[in-house]
Amino acid sequence: MVKTMKWLAAGALCAAAVGAQAQVNQVRVWAAACANCHGTEGRALQGNEPLAGKDKDELYQKLMDFKSGRKPATIMHQLSKGYSDEQLKDIAAYFAAQKK
C-alpha cells in the first residue's frame, strides 16, 4: 500500500511538471504575436519599444491601458482585446523575465 501511494505521488508530481511546462509553452505562443514589432523575446530592433527585462507590472498596466482604450495605439488596442486579463499578466511576466 505504501509503495502504491509513493508511485501515485510521483505520478502526480510528474503530471504537475508537465502541466507547468505546457503553460510556459502556451505563454511563449501568445508572446510570439508580439515579435513582429517588439522582436524575438522582446528584444526589438531600433524604432520599436523593447519589452525584454522591463518591469512586469508596468508592462501589464500598459497592456490593460491599451485594452481599455486609455492609451492610444494603432494596433495594440486591437491585439490586447484578444487576450484575457490573466493572459496579459502572463505575457507581461514572460517579457519581464527575458534578458535585455
Side-chain angles (χ1 to χ4, degrees), residues 80-98:
S80 59
K81 287 179 184 176
Y83 297 98
S84 70
D85 295 356
E86 190 62 36
Q87 289 169 328
L88 291 175
K89 190 175 285 188
D90 290 344
I91 292 168
Y94 171 80
F95 283 118
Q98 303 307 306

Side-chain angles (χ1 to χ4, degrees), residues 1 4 19 22-24 40 44 48-49 55 67 80 90:
M1 179 72 166
T4 302
Q23 176 64 19
V24 169
T40 304
N48 290 306
E49 181 180 1
D55 180 75
K67 187 174 182 177
S80 59
D90 290 344

Side-chain angles (χ1 to χ4, degrees), residues 19-36:
Q21 184 60 43
Q23 176 64 19
V24 169
N25 288 338
Q26 181 59 62
V27 174
R28 283 184 179 157
V29 169
W30 296 332
C34 309
N36 285 337

Side-chain angles (χ1 to χ4, degrees), residues 8-18:
L8 287 173
L13 287 174
C14 287
V18 168

Side-chain angles (χ1 to χ4, degrees), residues 1-10:
M1 179 72 166
V2 172
K3 195 172 191 177
T4 302
M5 294 300 283
K6 286 182 182 178
W7 280 107
L8 287 173

